[in-house]
Amino acid sequence: MSAGEEASTRAAIVAVGSEMLGPFRQDTNSLWLTARLEEVGIAVVRKSVVGDDPDGIVRELEGAAAAAELVISTGGLGPTADDVTTAAAARWLGARLVRNAEFLAKMRARFESRGIRMAAVNEKQADFIEGARVLENPRGTAPGFWGSKGGRELVILPGVPSEMREIMERSVLPELAARAGGAVHRRRVLRIAGMGESAVEELVEPVYSRWKEHPVTILASPGEVQLHLCVRGLPGEAEAVLASMEEDFRSVLGERIFGEDAEDLAAAVGRMLRDGKRTLALAESCTGGMVASLVTDAPGSSDYFVGGIVSYANGAKESLLDVEPETLRNHGAVSEETAREMARGARTRLAADVGAAITGIAGPSGGTEEKPVGTVWFAVSDRDGRETAKKRAFVGDRAHVRRSASVYALELIRRHLAGWADA
Amino acid sequence: MSAGEEASTRAAIVAVGSEMLGPFRQDTNSLWLTARLEEVGIAVVRKSVVGDDPDGIVRELEGAAAAAELVISTGGLGPTADDVTTAAAARWLGARLVRNAEFLAKMRARFESRGIRMAAVNEKQADFIEGARVLENPRGTAPGFWGSKGGRELVILPGVPSEMREIMERSVLPELAARAGGAVHRRRVLRIAGMGESAVEELVEPVYSRWKEHPVTILASPGEVQLHLCVRGLPGEAEAVLASMEEDFRSVLGERIFGEDAEDLAAAVGRMLRDGKRTLALAESCTGGMVASLVTDAPGSSDYFVGGIVSYANGAKESLLDVEPETLRNHGAVSEETAREMARGARTRLAADVGAAITGIAGPSGGTEEKPVGTVWFAVSDRDGRETAKKRAFVGDRAHVRRSASVYALELIRRHLAGWADA
């Protein structure tokens, strides 16, 4: 199901840049653009990437305009010979390029104020498309443009994400929102961890079929499942429908939902720790610092995160986490007993309220018949003596196992903090 | 500069699926396809994503065929009502869809052998495009197709990555390679860290201009700069040109190049440690486990990585890394002295040959006039007494500072291991 099918205004995004046609780099601006456009009731129906080639760009703008009323291009506004979007767009619009003397003088002054002489190549960034609105770029040199042709509109933006976003926020989105005549697109993302996609689908099936007229999408990533609920309508009405839709889905998912919209699992765990005035310490083996890295991604995490120990070698488990040599000898590094001792060791060594541990086999080697690659033990140890331990068997390659295990570790901490009986 | 401009056969990739038009999910099949097509001398000049809409798909195939001789579509071959690529492609090709009784019988038998009755919706997966070659799908139900129209060719593939890749490898790439008359596309990626994009550009400028007839692309990501050298030609010749091109670039960049092609910085550091039979321990503050996570991304890293300590709180720096309380009091947590003591502490506490430390202010808060957000101190301490310490001032948001600092830490370890005088 697509969010696009019911929207009244459609957009097509054209990313310009040969570097995005190689095997290494993707266009990512379009994801941000899509999210922001949806909020003003505009659905993206087509995305494309073309190289820095004037003919190709003109052809692409033509194709995009055939698919959507609004075309947004990103990239190709820089000073080098490769940057040809403005000229190609002018050609497509049937407009002349006119060098703006006032803008050129300002550019020169800006360079001089930094003690640099402006190079001749930069001059073309003062070429304006006749008849198009100039979109000021407070974060960079090249301005954007907003032109139109035969009932189609073309918004031309730089490819540098910070510049592109600033121009959208200041000069494009407010006008699109005003035009939408009040119709809005509202989205709620419900986020679940520690469950597979099919298990989530089974739970929500009865509710899902009750809301057929509104698009619901289920997206899975390693360790996490997201439900996207989308409603389009007038302000107030759309929110009301979305709220009752959300209530329905929450009634079957309950506390399995760890957060909504942009709140990721690490942020949700951080919120619980902060609210409960508790601190966390970690002991990681196979995840190798990934859980600590996720926890400290959140600004302000020093309020509740004391630190972590990445005990890759068994010796480190003994010397830094006080895991008993006999435990390692009798049960192995990947065992419930070792996980529990690691969690206790992290908590006591780092003087935290809660300690959590991850020990497993990420692969590709190191697996045995009894403990195949993907086997991971988790434990949480609380200052009040409460402990939780779980085993999981993840499938996939090393990166997938590490990522899935990191997300599950956070989910287990969340369930432990929430006091779930069967955490 | 594009790899495409000189290639004789051009390809356009069309990804079909409304889920890739939302704000969360990207088409990633095209990256793999691009890499494999380049190897047989075919450059991708255009990529696009369209929803599961027959008219949109037909329009898209038309646009793609205007840009390239070879069009490859992925996705939309499943059994549901959303899956309309085969029908739309037949329409564009001007061909009929004919249900293949033999294939349908095989499908039914496959379902039955698993004890499942085939649903009626699945039947349409036995609809073949008249006149198109059928591309067998050993990993799934839906076959691919290879059709042509007016000198353009269309290869239709499933969207499931494993199925798409298998069909390409078995049925598409061998034929494209044979047709290429031997012309191949060779790419060498030279990777540099710890230097800005403009500094790299300045260094390579004289060499760069000597190789104008071959595309060279400079790509920057947080902490890393990549030079992509591309040569198209006959086997043997292309490699020879690429080798002398590489030699030229290496002559100006020297040891600044940490690795090539797919080898990332953590893998390069791992190789040096393994070759030198040395072990590494880490002490991280602002990077919060990210450096350890990068090091342990590499399979087999337990050969040289002992472990790490994420000392987020000052107390952890004292208790786990033996940083002197006076050092923290007199110089602060973000200082050369603290970084050096952390590196020594990690090395001795974890009994490693080399200890490395990172301490800084990732933001958004915590900055001062003297030590603004982005200030990071790095230190490496060697069992033989040799030490290296560096300060860097990174710009950007928290995620960017953390990522840049993590890459720089690995680069400093690399330079220290290589014995650079001014590491």
Side-chain angles (χ1 to χ4, degrees):
Chain A
M1 281 152 294
S2 152
E5 281 150 21
E6 52 159 14
S8 65
T9 305
R10 295 164 303 179
I13 299 171
V14 177
V16 179
S18 297
E19 74 281 5
M20 291 177 291
L21 288 171
F24 301 102
R25 203 177 253 201
Q26 293 262 64
D27 153 51
T28 51
N29 279 333
S30 62
L31 297 179
W32 184 89
L33 281 169
T34 302
R36 303 295 280 121
L37 289 168
E38 279 191 358
E39 286 168 21
V40 295
I42 296 174
V44 172
V45 295
R46 179 185 185 275
K47 309 203 290 189
S48 56
V49 180
V50 275
D52 302 298
D53 156 52
D55 294 341
I57 296 170
V58 170
R59 195 167 46 223
E60 204 52 41
L61 294 176
E62 189 65 30
E69 293 81 30
L70 174 66
V71 177
I72 297 182
S73 79
T74 58
L77 305 188
T80 77
D82 278 357
D83 296 300
V84 295
T85 302
T86 309
R91 191 183 348 144
W92 181 71
L93 288 165
R96 287 196 313 148
L97 277 184
V98 182
R99 188 147 300 178
N100 187 296
E102 193 192 339
F103 189 81
L104 189 61
K106 267 193 210 151
M107 276 175 63
R108 278 226 176 77
R110 202 154 357 118
F111 273 88
E112 274 161 24
S113 75
R114 287 178 289 160
I116 316 168
R117 222 182 123 260
M118 193 180 90
V121 292
N122 284 88
E123 287 182 15
K124 77 168 180 184
Q125 291 184 296
D127 288 349
F128 286 7
I129 300 175
E130 207 172 37
R133 214 167 101 201
V134 178
L135 307 174
E136 204 194 327
N137 180 355
R139 288 177 182 264
T141 303
F145 298 98
W146 190 333
S148 66
K149 174 190 178 178
R152 300 315 213 200
E153 293 189 276
L154 170 62
V155 172
I156 301 159
L157 300 172
V160 180
S162 60
E163 300 181 20
M164 181 277 290
R165 291 177 188 201
E166 178 89 11
I167 297 176
M168 279 295 287
E169 298 283 9
R170 283 171 64 111
S171 309
V172 182
L173 289 166
E175 179 157 338
L176 295 176
R179 278 191 209 175
V184 293
H185 203 99
R186 292 286 177 256
R187 178 187 291 259
R188 167 67 14 101
V189 182
L190 300 178
R191 306 175 66 156
I192 298 125
M195 284 177 80
E197 189 178 7
S198 54
V200 173
E201 267 181 10
E202 211 175 293
L203 268 177
V204 302
E205 213 290 314
V207 183
Y208 189 90
S209 53
R210 254 209 305 284
W211 292 95
K212 275 212 173 90
E213 69 275 34
H214 298 288
V216 177
T217 313
I218 300 184
L219 292 183
S221 60
E224 184 179 340
V225 176
Q226 301 186 347
L227 283 171
H228 292 233
L229 319 181
C230 299
V231 175
R232 190 181 143 80
L234 291 174
E237 288 171 20
E239 287 83 351
V241 173
L242 189 61
S244 80
M245 205 170 163
E246 179 180 347
E247 203 187 312
D248 248 18
F249 278 87
R250 282 190 180 270
S251 72
V252 289
L253 289 164
E255 292 201 347
R256 292 179 191 91
I257 298 168
F258 69 74
E260 57 182 53
D261 298 338
E263 186 178 63
D264 66 22
L265 189 49
V269 168
R271 171 172 46 79
M272 292 171 84
L273 288 164
R274 187 181 274 120
D275 290 353
K277 297 194 179 14
R278 315 192 76 196
T279 57
L280 174 71
L282 293 169
E284 299 183 60
S285 179
C286 63
T287 50
M290 196 182 279
V291 182
S293 182
L294 290 171
V295 168
T296 58
D297 268 344
S301 43
S302 54
D303 292 354
Y304 49 80
F305 183 63
V306 186
I309 289 161
V310 180
S311 55
Y312 227 55
N314 276 352
K317 291 186 183 68
E318 295 173 20
S319 67
L320 291 174
L321 290 167
D322 306 315
V323 174
E324 296 291 341
E326 301 90 80
T327 306
L328 289 167
R329 208 162 38 238
N330 296 339
H331 303 281
V334 180
S335 64
E336 174 169 358
E337 292 76 6
T338 298
R340 286 183 186 268
E341 290 187 21
M342 286 171 68
R344 281 174 224 149
R347 178 172 60 73
T348 53
R349 282 295 193 102
L350 285 150
D353 297 316
V354 180
I358 305 98
T359 179
I361 304 148
S365 62
T368 63
E369 197 162 323
E370 197 199 344
K371 295 174 184 173
V373 167
T375 306
V376 185
W377 269 101
F378 301 85
V380 184
S381 160
D382 210 301
R383 188 187 285 278
D384 66 13
R386 203 159 53 93
E387 281 192 5
T388 308
K390 288 276 168 188
K391 184 171 90 164
R392 278 288 176 276
F394 300 106
V395 290
D397 63 11
R398 179 179 178 85
H400 196 272
V401 169
R402 278 161 53 91
R403 178 83 203 171
S404 304
S406 296
V407 174
Y408 187 80
L410 291 171
E411 175 65 7
L412 195 67
I413 296 168
R414 186 184 78 87
R415 294 183 183 190
H416 178 94
L417 291 172
W420 279 26
D422 88 333
Chain B
M1 279 153 294
S2 152
E5 284 151 19
E6 52 158 17
S8 66
T9 306
R10 294 166 303 179
I13 300 171
V14 177
V16 180
S18 297
E19 73 282 4
M20 291 178 290
L21 288 170
F24 301 102
R25 205 175 252 201
Q26 293 262 66
D27 152 53
T28 50
N29 280 334
S30 63
L31 296 179
W32 183 89
L33 281 169
T34 301
R36 302 296 278 121
L37 289 168
E38 281 191 356
E39 285 167 21
V40 294
I42 297 174
V44 172
V45 295
R46 179 183 184 276
K47 310 202 288 189
S48 56
V49 180
V50 274
D52 302 298
D53 155 53
D55 294 341
I57 296 169
V58 171
R59 196 166 46 222
E60 204 52 40
L61 295 176
E62 187 65 31
E69 293 81 30
L70 174 65
V71 177
I72 297 183
S73 79
T74 57
L77 305 188
T80 78
D82 278 358
D83 296 301
V84 295
T85 301
T86 309
R91 193 187 341 150
W92 180 71
L93 289 165
R96 287 195 314 147
L97 278 183
V98 182
R99 187 148 300 177
N100 188 295
E102 192 191 339
F103 189 81
L104 188 61
K106 268 194 210 151
M107 274 174 67
R108 279 227 176 77
R110 204 157 349 123
F111 273 86
E112 272 161 25
S113 74
R114 287 178 289 162
I116 316 168
R117 222 184 124 259
M118 193 180 89
V121 293
N122 283 86
E123 287 181 13
K124 76 168 180 184
Q125 291 185 296
D127 288 350
F128 286 6
I129 300 174
E130 207 173 37
R133 212 168 101 203
V134 177
L135 307 174
E136 203 194 328
N137 180 356
R139 290 178 181 262
T141 304
F145 298 98
W146 190 332
S148 65
K149 174 190 177 178
R152 300 315 213 200
E153 293 189 276
L154 171 62
V155 173
I156 301 160
L157 301 171
V160 180
S162 60
E163 299 180 22
M164 182 276 290
R165 292 178 186 199
E166 178 88 10
I167 297 176
M168 279 295 289
E169 299 283 8
R170 285 171 65 110
S171 309
V172 182
L173 289 166
E175 179 157 340
L176 294 176
R179 279 193 208 172
V184 292
H185 202 100
R186 292 287 177 255
R187 178 187 290 258
R188 166 71 10 103
V189 181
L190 302 177
R191 305 175 67 156
I192 298 125
M195 284 178 79
E197 189 177 5
S198 55
V200 174
E201 266 181 12
E202 212 177 293
L203 270 175
V204 302
E205 212 292 314
V207 184
Y208 188 90
S209 54
R210 251 208 307 284
W211 293 94
K212 274 213 174 85
E213 67 276 34
H214 297 289
V216 177
T217 311
I218 301 184
L219 293 183
S221 58
E224 184 178 340
V225 176
Q226 300 186 349
L227 284 170
H228 291 232
L229 319 181
C230 299
V231 175
R232 189 181 141 80
L234 292 174
E237 290 172 20
E239 286 83 352
V241 173
L242 189 62
S244 79
M245 203 170 165
E246 179 180 348
E247 202 186 313
D248 246 18
F249 278 88
R250 282 190 179 271
S251 72
V252 289
L253 289 165
E255 293 201 347
R256 292 180 192 89
I257 297 168
F258 69 75
E260 58 183 52
D261 298 339
E263 185 179 62
D264 66 21
L265 188 48
V269 168
R271 173 173 43 81
M272 292 171 83
L273 287 165
R274 186 181 276 119
D275 289 353
K277 295 192 181 11
R278 314 193 75 196
T279 56
L280 174 70
L282 293 169
E284 298 184 62
S285 179
C286 64
T287 49
M290 196 181 279
V291 181
S293 183
L294 289 170
V295 168
T296 57
D297 269 345
S301 42
S302 55
D303 292 352
Y304 48 80
F305 183 62
V306 186
I309 290 160
V310 180
S311 54
Y312 226 55
N314 276 351
K317 293 184 182 71
E318 295 173 21
S319 66
L320 290 174
L321 290 166
D322 306 316
V323 175
E324 295 291 339
E326 303 89 79
T327 306
L328 290 166
R329 211 163 36 239
N330 297 339
H331 303 282
V334 180
S335 64
E336 174 169 359
E337 292 77 5
T338 298
R340 285 184 187 267
E341 291 187 21
M342 285 170 68
R344 282 175 222 147
R347 178 173 58 75
T348 53
R349 282 296 193 101
L350 284 149
D353 298 316
V354 179
I358 305 99
T359 178
I361 304 148
S365 61
T368 63
E369 197 162 321
E370 198 198 345
K371 295 173 185 174
V373 166
T375 306
V376 184
W377 270 99
F378 302 85
V380 184
S381 162
D382 210 302
R383 187 187 286 276
D384 66 14
R386 202 159 54 92
E387 281 191 4
T388 307
K390 288 275 169 190
K391 185 172 88 164
R392 277 289 176 276
F394 299 106
V395 289
D397 62 13
R398 179 180 179 86
H400 196 273
V401 168
R402 278 160 54 92
R403 179 81 203 172
S404 304
S406 296
V407 175
Y408 187 79
L410 291 170
E411 175 65 8
L412 195 68
I413 296 167
R414 187 184 77 87
R415 293 183 182 189
H416 178 94
L417 291 172
W420 280 26
D422 88 334

